[in-house]
Amino acid sequence: MSQKAFLQAFDQDAIGSFKAAGMADAAIYTGPATGSASVPCDVLVDRGTQVWGEDASPVALGEISIAFQRVQVVPEKGGIVVVDGDTYRLTDKHKDDASLVRWLVVPHG
């Protein structure tokens, strides 16, 4: 088994378990092109805050990223994902390891 195949199988199993435990969600992804079909997929949503600076006025930025399984969908910049009643637009690809691809997103609509 190749590393890529191992990662894909592992991520499918892990996300399936996370979904059963309420730590991953079912979503619907629609590509940016007009008339793109909607694709059901399972995702991991990370709602985190990044803080920069050690002084009395650090800068804080709320950041949301969503990880998709490549075996289900290959998302593109400008695509729309609806997850748990929230709608997001994909802005920047953050990470891609041939199994999971993580995108930074912003609220949409």
Side-chain angles (χ1 to χ4, degrees), residues 1 8-9 21 33 35 41 44-46 62 64 69 73 78-79 85 92-93 98 101 105:
M1 174 182 283
Q8 290 173 343
C41 55
L44 297 168
V45 180
D46 183 21
I64 302 171
Q69 295 178 80
V73 65
D92 297 289
K93 189 187 302 185
V101 58
V105 299

Side-chain angles (χ1 to χ4, degrees), residues 18-84:
F18 292 161
K19 190 175 169 188
M23 296 173 56
D25 294 294
I28 300 292
Y29 169 79
T30 306
T34 302
S36 292
S38 295
V39 179
C41 55
D42 298 322
V43 298
L44 297 168
V45 180
D46 183 21
R47 295 171 183 87
T49 300
Q50 301 282 335
V51 178
W52 292 272
E54 305 280 331
D55 58 7
S57 300
V59 176
L61 173 67
E63 182 176 86
I64 302 171
S65 65
I66 298 179
F68 299 83
Q69 295 178 80
R70 280 185 152 280
V71 297
Q72 293 180 333
V73 65
V74 181
E76 300 176 46
K77 184 173 186 162
I80 302 295
V81 63
V82 178
V83 57
D84 197 23

